[in-house]
Amino acid sequence: MTKESQKYLKRPGKVQTGSHSKHRQRIPKYSPKIREYFNDFLDKATAQLKYRDRLLQSLAISANYLLGAHDFKYSITAAIQTLCESLAVDRAQVFEKHVCTEADHGLFSLRFGWINNGTETQGNSSSNCDLPHEFISSGWFEILSKGHPIKGSVKDFPQFEHEFLKAQGVVSALIVPIQVDCEFWGFLEFDDCRKRREWNSTELSIVFAAVANIGVAIGRKKYQEALKANEERYRLLVDNAPIGIISTDNKGNVTDVNTKLVEIVGSPSAEDTKSINLYNFQPLIDAGISDAVRKCCEEGAEVSIEVPYTSKWGKNTVLRTLCTPIRNNQGETLGCQSLMEDVTHEVELQRQLSQAQRLEAMGLVAGGVAHDFNNLLQVIVGYSDLLLSRRTENDKEFSELKKISCAAKSGAELVKGLLTFGGRIEAKPKPLDINQVVRQFGKLISRAIPKMISIQMILDTNLENVLADPIQIQQILMNLSMNAKDAMAEGGELTFQTKNVILDQHFYASHVDLRPGSYVSLTVSDTGAGMSKEVLDRIFEPFFTTKPVEQGSGLGLSIAYEIIKQHSGRITCQSQTGEGTIFEVLLPSIEAKEQIVQDSLSGTIGPSGVETILFADDEPAIRELAGTYLTESGYKILMTSDGLEALSVFQRKSAEIDLVIVDLLMPEIGGLQLINEIRKHNPGIKIIVTTGQFVDEPTTKIIQSQIQFFLSKPYDMVRFLEIVRDVLDQKQT
């Protein structure tokens, strides 16, 4: 405004009315030129104020969108649209920096955008694609990353940016960097597609404020997504945890549970579990878990317990529970988080391990006792057989001596059975008449079961033979019979039945564990209490038993199952509660009938000879017994009581000795060492080794490789003499 104009403004004039009357009240009516100039000035100023007010209003509206609870994409798009309409631009787009490396400044992806429907663009719009990294040159990237805008006419931009934006129909552009957490996140681009445009300070300040709000909104969304992702990871971690997790408040109310906890307690759902109160829930009270949680909340200390637990829904488990207090930032206890682990299987395995260790110990004890016991049985069997050989069936003492011999031999079989049960003797299958085994077992079991249980036998007279170990078959019969006895506490009927069966291809189709062919069926049935389906499904599991711990190991049926399996057979069970139980054993039959060798009842005691035999055994009774048999058979005997004596005698008289018989376990020098020393003096000497102790297969093979025969005590003396004769008659190798 000129000085002349100012002079006129100071002169008094008529007060004006109407629009902007306050500003025009001092304008003289006689200055039309000045009045026109000043009105134009005021109109422009008013328009600028209104534009600024509109921009501020759009900034406030966009901020409300960004702070609202709307969908994030909608909020950003609505905020951008509000700004675009107030700025009168044709398009706005938000790009996010994807990659940033030294060699490649970045690929910017379009995240949000708005376009005026009336805008005409040329070429392919960038609103549907990502920007190539060349669009942001190193210079521009540096400017934007430092928080500075890029603005102006497109024709003034660098060549590539100029050509790229021109192809999009852009005439002027304003590119403002978006900072998220003080880092360059991307940019907001405003495009004017109709005219060249200079962006004034008011517009820039509004845009900068709006972009700052957008950066805050993006950062908030980023944190929300990170928080949600962390919560999801935590939830997945908790839900997939191999142990149950349950959280409660100080009043015992359940606030959260994971999937494993629901599975452990057998609850129908998490909601059902959350509905309980740990302080008032009777199953937890009975198990002592409620007291542990209460103690944790009241004392603020960890509590650990391991207890049997039966849930409300009927699941039986052993729970190992660790209760840990939940505290706030001030250290106040808000509740308890309990980690619950189902250790039922672990406890069962521990019990099985303990049981197995007891069995192993029993096997070791059996192996140790067997040596001494077999020596005693050897004396009894030997002398009874010797006396029998000197009698005829018509003699008065013959039947009594025969009973003594049979009893001693049964004792030897009992020792073998004990060792077999302890896993210390391998099965020795041979052609076997199952009927004969059942009859002999029937006599034994009749003395072991109560009188109120009757025994019935239905045996097929034309039964085929099987290839089986008689001791193990007796063990199976014993296990099945003892189970039947326990099931008939008030008496009943125990039935043994045998028959021949043919399994055809139709049977094989549904029972692939058995080959088609001829089998012998042995059934053991009782009229006892029977079993439920749940028990029936588990009867062959090792250590599973429904009996008290002191009455059963749970191994009987599992051992029977394994024995039958080793014999290429099959054992099955049929039972219902209150209807009794039927066990059926199927064993493959063989064509050859067992040749039953009758015991020698009288006459000669065995083959004879005149050779010289060195006999070494630390048991006086066995030395005397063997000496008697060998002497009466014509042999010359050199008797010794330990390894050192035997070695000394052999060294002095090796030229006279035709056979050496040594016990495996002797004082001073053991049997194996004695054999080695004897071999040094005479590698070709014939040797028989005897023992009453269990020897494992590898050791047996080593011994057999150095000797002519390995004989287990107690042995039949007639058979002993036959072996002696056979070994002496062997040709030197």
Side-chain angles (χ1 to χ4, degrees), residues 610-621:
V610 295
E611 290 86 350
T612 300
I613 299 174
L614 173 62
F615 192 94
D617 197 301
D618 62 320
E619 188 65 38

Side-chain angles (χ1 to χ4, degrees), residues 386 604-611 613 626-637 717-718 720-722 724-725:
L386 179 61
T604 179
I605 60 175
S608 60
V610 295
E611 290 86 350
I613 299 174
T628 301
Y629 268 85
L630 292 170
T631 300
E632 290 192 10
S633 297
Y635 297 104
K636 181 181 179 181
I637 306 301
M717 293 307 297
V718 175
F720 170 69
L721 293 175
E722 291 174 350
V724 168
R725 186 69 261 163

Side-chain angles (χ1 to χ4, degrees), residues 550-585:
E550 65 274 6
Q551 294 184 17
S553 66
L555 279 175
L557 291 177
S558 63
I559 289 176
Y561 180 88
E562 287 300 322
I563 291 174
I564 297 302
K565 185 178 178 181
Q566 291 173 8
H567 284 75
S568 301
R570 187 169 184 263
I571 181 171
T572 56
C573 180
Q574 301 177 32
S575 183
Q576 292 183 5
T577 303
E579 299 294 331
T581 301
I582 301 174
F583 282 95
E584 182 181 24
V585 175

Side-chain angles (χ1 to χ4, degrees), residues 173-194:
L174 171 61
I175 303 174
V176 182
I178 300 175
Q179 299 283 331
V180 175
D181 297 332
C182 300
E183 293 184 357
F184 177 39
W185 179 89
F187 60 84
L188 172 58
E189 174 190 344
F190 291 99
D191 296 334
D192 194 320
C193 300
R194 291 171 293 184

Side-chain angles (χ1 to χ4, degrees), residues 428-442:
K428 296 180 180 179
K430 63 180 182 180
L432 191 65
D433 181 358
I434 293 293
N435 283 346
Q436 183 177 347
V437 175
V438 172
R439 291 190 190 99
Q440 292 175 350
F441 178 77

Side-chain angles (χ1 to χ4, degrees), residues 92-287:
Q93 299 172 112
V94 174
F95 288 90
E96 179 183 2
K97 176 169 62 70
H98 250 330
V99 182
C100 185
T101 64
E102 293 181 0
D104 184 357
H105 284 296
L107 175 66
F108 289 83
S109 296
L110 177 65
R111 291 293 308 276
F112 312 100
W114 176 85
I115 186 170
N116 188 339
N117 292 330
T119 301
E120 295 183 3
T121 60
Q122 301 175 19
N124 296 322
S125 172
S126 63
S127 61
N128 294 319
C129 64
D130 295 339
L131 289 178
H133 66 272
E134 292 90 349
F135 175 74
I136 302 296
S137 63
S138 59
W140 275 26
F141 187 90
E142 184 176 357
I143 293 172
L144 293 172
S145 63
K146 290 182 177 180
H148 302 306
I150 297 172
K151 58 186 177 66
S153 174
V154 169
K155 71 176 185 177
D156 298 329
F157 288 171
Q159 182 178 357
F160 182 85
E161 288 83 349
H162 165 70
E163 293 177 355
F164 182 82
L165 290 174
K166 183 178 180 181
Q168 312 305 318
V170 181
V171 177
S172 297
L174 171 61
I175 303 174
V176 182
I178 300 175
Q179 299 283 331
V180 175
D181 297 332
C182 300
E183 293 184 357
F184 177 39
W185 179 89
F187 60 84
L188 172 58
E189 174 190 344
F190 291 99
D191 296 334
D192 194 320
C193 300
R194 291 171 293 184
K195 63 183 183 300
R196 294 187 59 178
R197 180 166 184 168
E198 296 295 333
W199 304 88
N200 60 48
S201 60
T202 301
E203 292 172 332
L204 291 176
S205 62
I206 294 298
V207 168
F208 290 163
V211 169
N213 290 339
I214 291 174
V216 171
I218 293 173
R220 184 175 68 250
K221 179 64 174 178
K222 180 180 176 182
Y223 281 124
Q224 290 173 346
E225 291 177 347
L227 180 60
K228 183 178 180 181
N230 286 336
E231 290 176 348
E232 184 64 23
R233 281 194 294 271
Y234 173 77
R235 173 50 58 186
L236 288 174
L237 181 65
V238 170
D239 279 343
N240 295 328
I243 58 177
I245 302 175
I246 182 170
S247 300
T248 60
D249 59 21
N250 281 328
K251 297 181 180 179
N253 298 310
V254 177
T255 57
D256 195 14
V257 296
N258 72 338
T259 304
K260 190 66 177 180
L261 188 284
V262 175
E263 176 187 332
I264 287 174
V265 301
S267 171
S269 66
E271 288 68 27
D272 288 301
T273 309
K274 290 180 181 179
S275 66
I276 67 175
N277 184 290
L278 264 62
Y279 294 165
N280 304 326
F281 194 56
Q282 195 60 44
L284 292 173
I285 295 174
D286 295 340

Side-chain angles (χ1 to χ4, degrees), residues 281-540:
F281 194 56
Q282 195 60 44
L284 292 173
I285 295 174
D286 295 340
I289 298 176
S290 294
D291 291 338
V293 174
R294 189 189 302 274
K295 182 178 180 181
C296 175
C297 291
E298 292 177 353
E299 300 181 6
E302 287 189 352
V303 181
S304 178
I305 58 171
E306 182 177 311
V307 291
Y309 174 67
T310 301
S311 74
K312 170 186 176 181
W313 301 275
K315 185 174 181 179
N316 295 316
T317 53
V318 178
L319 290 184
R320 180 180 295 154
T321 304
L322 174 63
C323 303
T324 305
I326 301 173
R327 296 186 175 92
N328 59 17
N329 293 334
Q330 289 72 42
E332 300 171 337
T333 302
L334 303 179
C336 172
Q337 184 177 73
S338 301
L339 306 181
M340 294 186 179
E341 183 179 5
D342 184 354
V343 293
T344 308
H345 183 62
E346 180 181 330
V347 171
E348 179 64 18
L349 287 178
Q350 186 63 42
R351 189 189 68 80
Q352 292 179 17
L353 176 62
S354 177
Q355 190 81 290
Q357 289 172 338
R358 288 198 297 271
L359 287 174
E360 183 179 4
M362 185 181 74
L364 292 172
V365 171
V369 170
H371 177 263
D372 296 333
F373 192 55
N374 280 332
N375 282 338
L376 297 175
L377 291 173
Q378 180 65 65
V379 174
I380 298 172
V381 171
Y383 276 111
S384 61
D385 287 348
L386 179 61
L387 293 173
L388 282 170
S389 69
R390 297 172 178 173
R391 302 286 191 278
T392 65
E393 292 187 34
N394 297 325
D395 290 337
K396 181 179 179 181
E397 299 90 353
F398 185 86
S399 61
E400 285 81 0
L401 291 172
K402 186 65 177 177
K403 290 178 181 178
I404 293 172
S405 178
C406 290
K409 291 176 181 178
S410 296
E413 294 299 321
L414 180 63
V415 173
K416 289 182 180 179
L418 183 62
L419 293 175
T420 300
F421 179 78
R424 308 188 59 87
I425 285 185
E426 295 181 355
K428 296 180 180 179
K430 63 180 182 180
L432 191 65
D433 181 358
I434 293 293
N435 283 346
Q436 183 177 347
V437 175
V438 172
R439 291 190 190 99
Q440 292 175 350
F441 178 77
K443 295 177 182 179
L444 173 64
I445 195 65
S446 63
R447 298 190 292 269
I449 62 176
K451 299 291 184 182
M452 55 188 175
I453 298 177
S454 63
I455 298 176
Q456 302 294 328
M457 292 193 180
I458 308 173
L459 307 180
D460 189 340
T461 56
N462 296 316
L463 193 68
E464 296 180 351
N465 284 3
V466 298
L467 192 64
D469 187 320
I471 300 300
Q472 292 187 339
I473 297 301
Q474 288 183 14
Q475 183 178 351
I476 292 171
L477 290 171
M478 180 62 74
N479 290 338
L480 297 180
S481 299
M482 289 298 99
N483 284 340
K485 175 185 76 75
D486 293 339
M488 296 184 288
E490 299 180 359
E493 187 174 285
L494 175 61
T495 303
F496 299 91
Q497 182 175 2
T498 61
K499 62 181 179 180
N500 296 317
V501 296
I502 302 294
L503 304 183
D504 56 16
Q505 290 288 347
H506 179 72
F507 181 89
Y508 175 69
S510 57
H511 303 82
V512 294
D513 53 331
L514 292 181
R515 296 287 182 182
S518 300
Y519 285 79
V520 169
S521 169
L522 167 63
T523 60
V524 179
S525 59
D526 65 66
T527 57
M531 291 177 279
S532 65
K533 184 180 183 304
E534 291 74 20
V535 173
L536 189 62
D537 290 340
R538 300 186 61 190
I539 56 172
F540 295 115

